[in-house]
Amino acid sequence: MNTPKKVSFYTLGCKLNFSETSTIGRLFTENGYKQVEFHEGADVYVINTCSVTENADKKCKKVVKEALKYSPKAYIVIIGCYAQLKPAEIAEIPGVDLVLGAAEKFRLMDFINDLTKKPKAEIHNQPIAEANTFISSYSIGDRTRAFLKVQDGCDYTCSFCTIPLARGASRSDTVTNIVQSAASIAASGVKEIVLTGVNIGDYGKGEHGNKKHENTFLELVQALDKVEGIERIRISSIEPNLLTNEIIEFVAQSGKFVPHFHIPLQSGNNKILGLMRRRYKRELYTERVAKIKSLMPDCCIGVDVIVGFPGETKEDFLDTYNFLNELDISYLHVFTYSERENTPAAEFDDVVGGSERADRSKMLHILSEKKRRYFYKQHLNKNFQVLFEADCKEGKMHGFTRNYIKVSVKYDPVLVNELKEVQLISINNEGDVDIKEAEEILTH
């Protein structure tokens, strides 16, 4: 009997990348490959890259080097956003055999033949306009939650962003397909689905440049709410101008959709929002937060912010800081602005110095911690349902409430992928919330 060939995956970047890696993993399994951990040594390594995080090239090189350390003759494939934007650069990395762009990555099996190491990497990378079809993807990596891709690409032209260049135009899966995928996920025993995409509020645009919205995001949410067997559905990130009152009202009364929104802001200063080419002013953001909190006082609200954008003076930054400080939000994802080739912002004047960018980032990280602790503190001594995960670090396991409070408890394998009602007791040194010990939970 032939020993199956082994494949290993490494994913950089967003939840969308994780859902796509998982789908590509299933293609390998269907073709007789065995998936193994990175350090176990594989015949093929597939590295799914990101262009949003800094030092994409350094990270990619490092992962390739590590892969070859474990398996010197491994066939190395690079896919993802960075592979679409800089294929020639990636092809120069020693040990890389195959580079696939956005339109090619789901046809990976067509390009893998005898797995012989190449003297020079092969590149298959069509212009991004060719990436105009939608490939359904979802991840079932751990048993607790799955990332379900509902939309891809973006038609927005924010001045700092390369995602439209890396992923192409906005396009979506059909409601029917997504509901079927959600039902498959439910049948596998996963209890939580996270909806992912590049710009999910723009959901409904079709393939091949069809810009008519066949369905709206609200209609998708209403259809998914009826899928049986899924306990929780989480919306990963949605633009404030696309998060309508109707969506907020629907989530507020839903038993499945959880009270947790992640809403990119990027700046709390209207001048900077204009330079960024964002499609709203901060007043709209204030309205959205107020609407959410009026209907769901316990709702967790996460915010993306970019610091050090060109033209952001100290006064502009403090305007953002004070705006966020007064806003009833729960945590921040802070990004330090970094120049991206082929974006308008890379040519802007009034560049903010590196040390100033770092100082502003530090201030917002401290504010985020303060916001998170305050949000957690408001919920102490109350009972919440927690979905426990399979991780075990230093004898502890974690789980999340519906409104995204991270709890910590002594590890017990019986709790994995279980929903349990617990009382939140105190905030520990790691910033998580302590609850009653596992034995007490299990007796309830």
Side-chain angles (χ1 to χ4, degrees):
M1 187 175 145
N2 288 337
T3 310
K5 290 213 165 16
K6 293 181 286 185
V7 62
S8 188
F9 296 88
Y10 193 92
T11 307
L12 294 155
C14 63
K15 294 182 176 80
L16 186 55
N17 271 5
F18 279 92
S19 79
E20 292 182 340
T21 298
S22 198
T23 296
I24 291 165
R26 289 193 286 279
L27 294 177
F28 273 90
T29 306
E30 285 160 17
N31 279 273
Y33 282 77
K34 181 188 174 193
Q35 275 198 54
V36 297
E37 295 295 324
F38 195 89
H39 64 272
E40 291 179 62
D43 300 294
V44 182
Y45 280 92
V46 179
I47 300 162
N48 195 353
T49 61
C50 173
S51 67
V52 175
T53 49
E54 272 192 272
N55 304 320
D57 54 338
K58 274 189 199 159
K59 285 179 184 170
C60 191
K61 278 177 188 161
K62 191 170 183 192
V63 179
V64 170
K65 200 173 172 184
E66 285 295 301
L68 292 170
K69 188 174 87 181
Y70 290 116
S71 187
K73 291 181 179 173
Y75 190 88
I76 308 282
V77 185
I78 313 289
I79 61 171
C81 292
Y82 183 47
Q84 176 65 37
L85 292 174
K86 299 281 182 74
E89 206 171 279
I90 292 170
E92 294 300 318
I93 298 172
V96 171
D97 298 290
L98 183 63
V99 183
L100 298 181
E104 292 80 13
K105 62 189 170 191
F106 290 102
R107 294 194 293 114
L108 201 158
M109 301 314 299
D110 296 349
F111 300 105
I112 288 186
N113 299 314
D114 61 354
L115 304 186
T116 306
K117 293 293 287 174
K118 304 276 189 298
K120 187 164 173 52
E122 228 179 82
I123 298 174
H124 297 277
N125 180 296
Q126 291 176 311
I128 194 59
E130 302 293 324
N132 59 11
T133 57
F134 188 90
I135 306 292
S136 301
S137 299
Y138 59 87
S139 73
I140 304 186
D142 65 51
R143 287 181 295 161
T144 311
R145 72 162 64 94
F147 300 125
L148 174 57
K149 173 179 155 188
V150 301
Q151 182 274 343
D152 200 351
C154 188
D155 292 340
Y156 284 11
T157 53
C158 298
S159 60
F160 53 84
C161 186
T162 57
I163 288 175
L165 302 173
R167 281 192 168 267
S170 179
R171 56 208 188 271
S172 313
D173 204 351
T174 64
V175 171
T176 307
N177 278 353
I178 293 168
V179 166
Q180 279 174 353
S181 293
S184 299
I185 291 166
S188 76
V190 169
K191 290 195 166 72
E192 181 176 309
I193 287 175
V194 183
L195 303 183
T196 71
V198 175
N199 187 359
I200 61 176
D202 196 34
Y203 172 81
K205 287 177 181 171
E207 299 182 313
H208 306 291
N210 170 17
K211 292 302 166 200
K212 180 177 176 288
H213 276 85
E214 303 297 333
N215 292 100
T216 64
F217 186 62
L218 176 62
E219 287 167 339
L220 174 66
V221 163
Q222 289 167 334
L224 285 170
D225 200 54
K226 297 179 184 136
V227 175
E228 289 185 18
I230 285 293
E231 301 279 346
R232 295 178 174 182
I233 306 176
R234 211 173 280 280
I235 298 168
S236 64
S237 179
I238 184 165
E239 294 283 309
N241 51 304
L242 297 173
L243 178 57
T244 62
N245 284 340
E246 290 79 11
I247 293 168
I248 295 167
E249 286 159 9
F250 185 81
V251 170
Q253 59 78 49
S254 167
K256 278 190 174 46
F257 278 84
V258 298
H260 175 206
F261 289 99
H262 193 91
I263 316 167
L265 170 68
Q266 311 309 12
S267 176
N269 174 272
N270 282 339
K271 178 193 95 179
I272 299 299
L273 285 173
L275 287 172
M276 289 176 165
R277 297 189 191 162
R278 301 292 285 162
R279 299 192 176 200
Y280 52 86
K281 290 197 160 54
R282 75 183 203 168
E283 288 75 14
L284 177 94
Y285 202 94
T286 307
E287 280 173 32
R288 292 293 181 265
V289 171
K291 175 74 175 175
I292 291 166
K293 286 292 185 176
S294 72
L295 295 176
M296 294 170 272
D298 284 343
C299 189
C300 178
I301 302 175
V303 185
D304 287 342
V305 198
I306 295 171
V307 296
F309 191 78
E312 184 186 63
T313 63
K314 279 189 176 169
E315 291 72 27
D316 297 334
F317 169 71
L318 288 172
D319 195 27
T320 290
Y321 183 93
N322 292 329
F323 177 71
L324 288 166
N325 193 29
E326 287 162 25
L327 212 55
D328 192 0
I329 54 167
S330 317
Y331 64 90
L332 306 172
H333 279 174
V334 184
F335 299 88
T336 303
Y337 172 75
S338 63
E339 287 74 5
R340 294 282 182 265
E341 276 180 44
N342 301 315
T343 59
E347 310 299 320
F348 287 179
D349 296 329
D350 301 321
V351 171
V352 178
S355 63
E356 184 61 35
R357 293 185 207 187
D359 288 347
R360 293 177 191 181
S361 172
K362 191 175 176 186
M363 277 180 73
L364 284 188
H365 275 103
I366 292 166
L367 178 62
S368 177
E369 204 43 50
K370 191 177 105 179
K371 288 280 185 187
R372 192 190 298 270
R373 286 185 80 87
Y374 178 69
F375 178 67
Y376 282 7
K377 214 168 168 182
Q378 287 174 301
H379 296 86
L380 294 181
N381 303 314
K382 293 180 185 174
N383 283 15
F384 285 89
Q385 216 181 41
V386 170
L387 178 56
F388 287 95
E389 310 207 347
D391 65 328
C392 178
K393 286 178 188 161
E394 293 168 4
K396 292 272 192 180
M397 69 192 299
H398 296 93
F400 286 91
T401 61
R402 282 168 57 84
N403 62 342
Y404 212 55
I405 293 171
K406 188 179 182 186
V407 305
S408 170
V409 71
K410 191 170 84 179
Y411 181 77
D412 187 323
V414 179
L415 282 177
V416 172
N417 201 32
E418 290 293 325
L419 278 160
K420 294 287 177 186
E421 186 158 311
V422 303
Q423 188 177 20
L424 308 186
I425 295 171
S426 59
I427 300 170
N428 61 32
N429 293 336
E430 283 74 47
D432 303 333
V433 174
D434 282 331
I435 56 175
K436 286 180 181 178
E437 288 304 309
E439 299 86 44
E440 292 179 67
I441 299 165
L442 290 167
T443 57
H444 285 73

